Amino acid sequence: MRRFLVVCLLLCADLFAGYGGTVFGSERTRNLRQLDYAPMLFVYHGQTVNPGRHFFTYPERNTDFRTQFDEAGRKSLFYYADTLGSGPDAHTYAFAVSPILGVDYRRGESLGDTIWPAFDGGIFFRGYADSLDFDLDARIYAEGHAADKPRSFDGEVFDVQDEDRGGLNYVSFSRYRAHMGLNYSFARLQLARDVLHFGPGYYNNLALNQFALPYNMFTLDLVFGPLRIFSAYADLRVNSWSYSRDNLNDRNLYAHRYELAAGNLTLGVSEMQVLYNENKPWLFVPIVPLFIEKGNYTERVNNGALAFDANLQLLGLARIYGEFFLDDMESPYAVYENKYSNNRWAAMAGIQVAHDFYVGGRRIEAGSIAEIARVEPFTYCHYDTAQAQMQHLGLPVGNPNGPNSLAVDWTLYARLGLGGEIFAGLHNKWLWKGDDYGSSIDDPYKTVEKRFIHGAPLVYTIAPSVSFRGRHVAYMAEFTFVDEKSAYLRVAFMW
């Protein structure tokens, strides 16, 4: 045991190498974790402390990818670069392959299970060829479950291997995320499997949220100085069980986002349209206003929404932000009166305080982020049983708490470089989730007098987390206490 610990510490002792991908994207809290812990939290940290224009549409192109790749790619297990031709007609390309191995322990009351041992293994493949860049993180998972009827921890499809047939009882599945982007000056055209995240919030964005399950997408990203225009198409699943015949039907998402970064103020507008068993490629065109075009299609097979958000950076020390999401309304006064369910909306407000300082020549990135979000009953739901809800695999593509919820999230965090990278965080969450009709995203919409979180109990959790990252090895630990108890431990190796 002592020798094992010594080897692990030696692997961590060297300064860590960068394995950055082609984009900045959503946190991978369920699976496909690499060595970084909460990398997107520190993207938002940078949006708080650094001057300049700030946009809040993800996945966002990593414009330093080629520079980082040329420096760090050579430290990967396999790296290759070459040039085709010579002179002005030369074409350069390079790629790198890094194996990834991980061992997890997971236990949770809501899961009703203990997952141990849990192994994952795969590769992180990335590179570029002229203006094309790409990355792929693909893994195979094998898990032991204590529960008689195991459930999928990450909400996606999995297979149970029966010991009567295979000699061993375990759960297996595969996962991947990938991006391939073609870049030209002000434009990026991308095919990807990832999650869209629109707006300045971290936990509680309302239109599209990073804590949804991943889906396949096609995006166009245009940046003209302070103006950013983003258009996306995504293929959503109708049923939470991937093997269900319901998924022979189509649920298609079109989304646009328009952002204007004027100094330390960023204003954003997001719009969405979900079509069931209909597909209109015209909706992908970024100049087509979805909230107007929606009226040209049958109500029973399409569902639309509009959101407005703002982010104000304050002296490089803080940012305050908010978002208002409108699913449907009878009239502006009826929204203000807020009595009936045909006025469906949500609102979020937040603040992040952050600062970088140095102790003994080591940089410490520290901060706090707090958000409050209110989601009215029937928000994200759809009329009758047309199945055009704003969800994927049974979970909202927007706020993860779903309709008829009130949530407060508050996190303290810090990251220190010390012969490696040390992270510590403390996440507090207060959640009220109603159980009246209109609290489930699968509840067909009907006009009734709504009751917001009527009699809903408070569910409070406090979740400390720590991680240590070295050059090729990372150790992670997360715990949840009070009204929900869980534990997650992970050791990961990547070269």
Side-chain angles (χ1 to χ4, degrees), residues 451-468:
R451 300 196 300 178
F452 178 66
I453 60 171
H454 178 74
L458 166 64
V459 177
Y460 169 72
T461 56
I462 183 169
S465 57
V466 294
S467 77
F468 183 86

Side-chain angles (χ1 to χ4, degrees), residues 18 20-22 61-75 79 94 127-128 130 133:
T22 60
R61 179 189 176 189
N62 178 5
T63 56
D64 294 325
F65 169 70
R66 286 188 59 160
T67 301
Q68 295 171 348
F69 180 83
D70 290 337
E71 293 176 356
R74 293 179 174 85
K75 300 177 182 178
Y79 170 85
Y128 64 85
D130 288 344
D133 57 42

Side-chain angles (χ1 to χ4, degrees), residues 27 38-50 56 58 199-203 311-322 348-356 365-372 409-414 423:
E27 303 285 26
M40 188 144 177
L41 176 61
F42 288 93
V43 171
Y44 276 92
H45 180 94
Q47 299 275 45
T48 306
V49 301
N50 295 325
F56 298 93
Y58 302 95
Y202 179 74
Y203 291 106
N311 180 89
L312 179 63
Q313 187 188 40
L314 301 173
L315 303 175
L317 295 173
R319 62 186 186 93
I320 55 175
Y321 53 89
M348 182 271 291
I351 181 170
Q352 183 169 10
V353 179
H355 185 60
D356 294 348
E365 302 164 278
S368 173
I369 185 168
E371 295 177 359
I372 181 171
D409 291 270
W410 175 40
T411 291
L412 296 167
Y413 65 88
F423 170 88

